[in-house]
Amino acid sequence: MEAFQLLARGVTFNKKKYEADISLFSNGQRETPRPVASGELPASLDFFKYAKGGTQQIKTSVAKPIEASGSGNNQQIPSKKRKRDMDDSDSEIEHYPSKLPHRVTTKGERVPARAETFVEMQKRFSIAGNVMRNLDGCGYSEPTAIQTVGIPILAEGRDLAAVSPTGTGKTLAYLLPIFARLKTPVSSQEDRPGVRAVIVAPTKELAGQIYNEAQKLAQGRKWRIVLFSKATAATLKDPSVRGKVDIIISTPMRLVASIQAGDIQLDRVQVLILDEADRLLDPEFASQVEEIVGCCSNPACQKAVFSATLPAKAEKTVLNMMNDPIRVVVGLKDTPLPNIKQSLVYVAQPESKLPTLIQYLTSPLGYKPPVIVFTSTQARATSLLSELLLAGVMNAEALHAGLTKHQREECVKRILKGEVWVLITTDVLARGMDFGGVCGVINFDWPESVQSYVHRIGRTGRAGREGTAITYFTDEDAPYLKSIANVLLQSGQSVPDWMIKLPKPSKMKRKQMGRAQREQPSVGFKGENVGRSLALRKKDMIAGSKRRAEKAEVGSEDEED
Ligand SMILES: Nc1ncnc2c1ncn2[C@@H]1O[C@H](COP(=O)(O)OP(=O)(O)OP(=O)(O)O)[C@@H](O)[C@H]1O
């Protein structure tokens, strides 16, 4: 069957009409890789001989949505885990906005009372009328769980470490209190204290998205919100310009470059937010973030961190930076919401991933666009795009850190306009990005960590919508299955018994796996193996794309960050 798929690549073929002929290639048996979440242990994976012991499914019940009254059911969670989280908590509440039940655990001294509606928040925290109208304009009628709890905490000036699943509205949970705390735009104040709030995010794309959200809320008033780039950083060198800035949104590297050049001071910052905090504490960013935190030297500076995942070590670090903090966890840590239907698909060999994906994307039954496909490296994203285009997959694009700023921005615009059906990317887009209505995520390459898995699949199933997440795994990935299988189990999905019984890979093995993922060769057969005419088409396509990239380059002003 695979041979048939390879030979037929790039050819439009009515598979339904010639079903009988196709079946000749499959030797009467379909070898199509299949989801194993509900299946048996593939013989080649039975390293530990679990198959004999049966492949009984573990099935935890999926949380039932609770009624708007808010009385009711907890998400079903393994009892051991539930106990651990409850021991942690000072209070436990449930919330239901966006159609999903959420269990909320808070820990800390004198936790401010939650606010059930935006109107209640306006009354308690004197939120400006225009911000309320803008909320309405965005279609936000009731707060999500993290908003009901997080907004009062921040609006009352407390430090906060918040963990809430992907797509549950964390951005608004910190933007709204910033506007409440800053009260009036700096331009209407006499002393022009400048830069009063700083939001740090790990990628330019995410910083840009937060900026757009902040602008939507700020409409109608003279808030000065700056998305930090080389160009804006240059204009802020002038103290009279800087003095009029309310909020800066930046990646760590860009902000630190300005701090080190003496072009910006953060000593009057009143609110510092670290979005995707655990990522910001990775070695790549940690020293820069430390420097930013150190420069926000105002003793009254309020600090808050947000993420869908916060491993224990990162949590300890952030809590140490804070003053009398409150910790909030919505749902279970590191656990996707049950509205994302997850499956693990066994594909045996790395070479089988491509035909499996092509079959999925060209199936006569169709798939629901748009989908996001994650690869482990930029080179694999680029080569996978070439292969998909050759196979006739429509409206596919690749977006990764190897593109210029202009190319990345243009691609994001096309995604937001709905012009991209298949977006191939790397972990650069795994966190925070909110492309409304993404129907599915495909992990073409195995994610390097549980956190990466949770954030990748969180690009779908946002704001209470449904989504699907498919993860391919090969024989080589099998030793790392257990941790992801546990995530599925914890979020209420079916997982075969043998997966849970697999031994946990050591730290050393996990490191090796990360290296192996990054060292994978390009995807596909590099032209010469798929026939001369296809190779020529591929060459033309690459030349065309280079020409377009060069053309785009002319218009681009700032390629850094
Ligand atoms: N109160 C609300 N009512 C309806 N939709 C909302 C509300 N708050 C936020 N949203 C929408 O929910 C979506 C997800 O929000 P957001 O991007 O802030 O999620 P997040 O929790 O930060 O996710 P991630 O962990 O992936 O960064 C956005 O499209 C946003 O517009």
Side-chain angles (χ1 to χ4, degrees):
M1 190 61 184
E2 257 173 38
F4 175 81
Q5 283 160 354
L6 285 175
L7 290 170
R9 275 202 287 162
V11 179
T12 314
F13 192 81
N14 188 337
K15 289 183 188 146
K16 210 165 184 184
K17 187 169 170 190
Y18 299 105
E19 203 167 22
D21 305 67
I22 295 172
S23 68
L24 294 176
F25 286 85
S26 64
N27 207 13
Q29 281 180 342
R30 282 186 72 82
E31 286 178 9
T32 315
R34 62 210 164 100
V36 293
S38 57
E40 296 158 4
L41 168 62
S44 54
L45 288 182
D46 191 12
F47 314 115
F48 309 102
K49 307 293 167 217
Y50 289 135
K52 276 197 194 101
T55 55
Q56 183 197 347
Q57 272 183 31
I58 294 176
K59 191 163 178 172
T60 57
S61 50
V62 179
K64 280 193 208 126
I66 54 176
E67 295 305 316
S69 67
S71 64
N73 325 350
N74 265 347
Q75 191 172 314
Q76 204 81 58
I77 4 159
S79 55
K80 205 166 144 195
K81 175 80 191 169
R82 175 187 290 220
K83 183 163 186 317
R84 192 157 16 112
D85 266 22
M86 284 179 59
D87 288 344
D88 242 0
S89 64
D90 283 346
S91 71
E92 192 182 322
I93 56 172
E94 284 162 0
H95 208 75
Y96 46 83
S98 303
K99 294 174 233 138
L100 288 165
H102 293 297
R103 171 173 171 269
V104 182
T105 314
T106 57
K107 188 181 181 190
E109 303 283 324
R110 295 163 284 103
V111 178
R114 63 195 163 122
E116 292 295 349
T117 64
F118 287 127
V119 175
E120 185 187 335
M121 290 175 193
Q122 182 185 26
K123 283 187 193 144
R124 276 174 60 187
F125 311 118
S126 313
I127 298 170
N130 75 303
V131 174
M132 295 302 290
R133 280 189 292 282
N134 295 337
L135 272 182
D136 211 38
C138 291
Y140 302 159
S141 52
E142 58 176 333
T144 64
I146 185 60
Q147 293 162 5
T148 56
V149 184
I151 290 174
I153 293 173
L154 290 181
E156 291 194 15
R158 297 289 301 274
D159 285 3
L160 170 69
V163 183
S164 178
T166 53
T168 52
K170 294 188 285 295
T171 317
L172 185 68
Y174 60 75
L175 285 179
L176 201 61
I178 288 180
F179 287 113
R181 295 259 297 147
L182 299 188
K183 292 196 169 57
T184 50
V186 73
S187 53
S188 59
Q189 296 180 14
E190 268 180 20
D191 67 339
R192 305 269 160 92
V195 194
R196 293 183 297 156
V198 171
I199 302 168
V200 184
T203 62
K204 280 186 288 182
E205 280 74 14
L206 183 53
Q209 182 178 289
I210 297 166
Y211 172 76
N212 291 339
E213 278 294 300
Q215 289 287 18
K216 278 195 241 162
L217 285 181
Q219 263 176 42
R221 278 195 103 183
K222 287 185 180 160
W223 294 101
R224 285 263 173 98
I225 305 166
V226 173
L227 176 60
F228 227 50
S229 68
K230 219 179 200 174
T232 50
T235 61
L236 291 192
K237 281 183 191 176
D238 180 346
S240 67
V241 179
R242 202 162 64 222
K244 293 179 198 158
V245 171
D246 292 291
I247 305 170
I248 278 181
I249 302 165
S250 180
T251 57
M253 194 170 88
R254 173 56 57 217
L255 192 54
V256 165
S258 281
I259 292 170
Q260 289 179 349
D263 294 339
I264 195 158
Q265 282 85 41
L266 303 179
D267 52 343
R268 300 182 84 169
V269 169
Q270 296 170 24
V271 188
L272 171 66
I273 307 284
L274 303 181
D275 199 351
E276 307 296 345
D278 51 332
R279 174 74 182 112
L280 289 175
L281 293 173
D282 276 353
E284 191 186 332
F285 296 119
S287 63
Q288 296 162 1
V289 170
E290 210 174 294
E291 189 162 350
I292 293 167
V293 174
C295 287
C296 294
S297 54
N298 175 359
C301 176
Q302 177 186 22
K303 298 182 187 78
V305 303
F306 284 80
S307 184
T309 54
L310 196 59
K313 195 172 159 203
E315 183 176 320
K316 203 170 160 200
T317 310
V318 298
L319 291 176
N320 279 340
M321 303 179 332
M322 295 180 175
N323 179 22
D324 192 16
I326 296 171
R327 169 189 180 267
V328 173
V329 178
V330 176
L332 289 173
K333 261 174 107 179
D334 297 350
T335 305
L337 290 174
N339 56 323
I340 305 173
K341 192 169 168 286
Q342 305 166 56
S343 57
L344 301 171
V345 173
Y346 175 57
V347 292
Q349 303 303 319
E351 298 74 34
S352 309
K353 293 186 201 175
L354 179 60
T356 308
L357 181 63
I358 290 173
Q359 189 185 38
Y360 179 75
L361 295 176
T362 56
S363 150
L365 293 173
Y367 68 98
K368 242 182 165 183
V371 295
I372 300 186
V373 181
F374 282 99
T375 60
S376 55
T377 62
Q378 295 172 19
R380 283 177 68 74
T382 310
S383 52
L384 178 58
L385 174 65
S386 303
E387 294 294 334
L388 293 190
L389 292 176
L390 271 175
V393 173
M394 305 262 289
N395 299 335
E397 291 210 23
L399 175 53
H400 51 71
L403 303 178
T404 64
K405 181 176 180 256
H406 181 72
Q407 287 170 326
R408 286 166 73 164
E409 282 172 0
E410 288 302 308
C411 185
V412 169
K413 278 186 203 158
R414 285 193 292 278
I415 299 164
L416 293 173
K417 278 196 236 160
E419 292 172 3
V420 179
W421 294 0
V422 179
L423 178 71
I424 305 161
T425 189
T426 60
D427 277 325
V428 76
L429 279 205
R431 282 177 178 259
M433 295 310 291
D434 184 61
F435 302 126
V438 169
C439 294
V441 165
I442 299 168
N443 285 318
F444 187 80
D445 289 332
W446 188 254
E448 278 186 31
S449 64
V450 163
Q451 287 74 27
S452 160
Y453 176 78
V454 169
H455 288 278
R456 280 181 179 189
I457 73 164
R459 296 318 98 207
T460 187
R462 300 177 69 77
R465 295 191 191 93
E466 301 285 314
T468 58
I470 299 171
T471 302
Y472 295 163
F473 73 95
T474 63
D475 292 338
E476 287 156 31
D477 301 323
Y480 313 103
L481 266 175
K482 186 187 169 90
S483 37
I484 305 291
N486 273 335
V487 175
L488 265 81
L489 189 67
Q490 211 158 269
S491 46
Q493 322 251 329
S494 302
V495 179
D497 203 4
W498 64 265
M499 273 190 199
I500 302 301
K501 285 183 185 164
L502 288 169
K504 197 175 165 203
S506 65
K507 206 167 171 188
M508 169 91 100
K509 265 212 144 225
R510 288 203 303 272
K511 265 194 186 155
Q512 277 169 2
M513 187 267 291
R515 223 177 11 250
Q517 285 295 336
R518 289 188 292 273
E519 285 169 2
Q520 287 191 87
S522 301
V523 180
F525 294 85
K526 306 202 177 67
E528 64 276 9
N529 291 343
V530 292
R532 190 178 142 70
S533 65
L534 285 184
L536 286 175
R537 265 175 64 190
K538 185 171 182 172
K539 206 171 126 197
D540 284 346
M541 211 171 62
I542 291 167
S545 115
K546 268 191 187 152
R547 271 199 307 277
R548 281 194 299 279
E550 277 162 18
K551 229 169 140 188
E553 284 272 340
V554 178
S556 107
E557 7 86 55
D558 176 8
E559 298 185 6
E560 256 240 280
D561 240 321

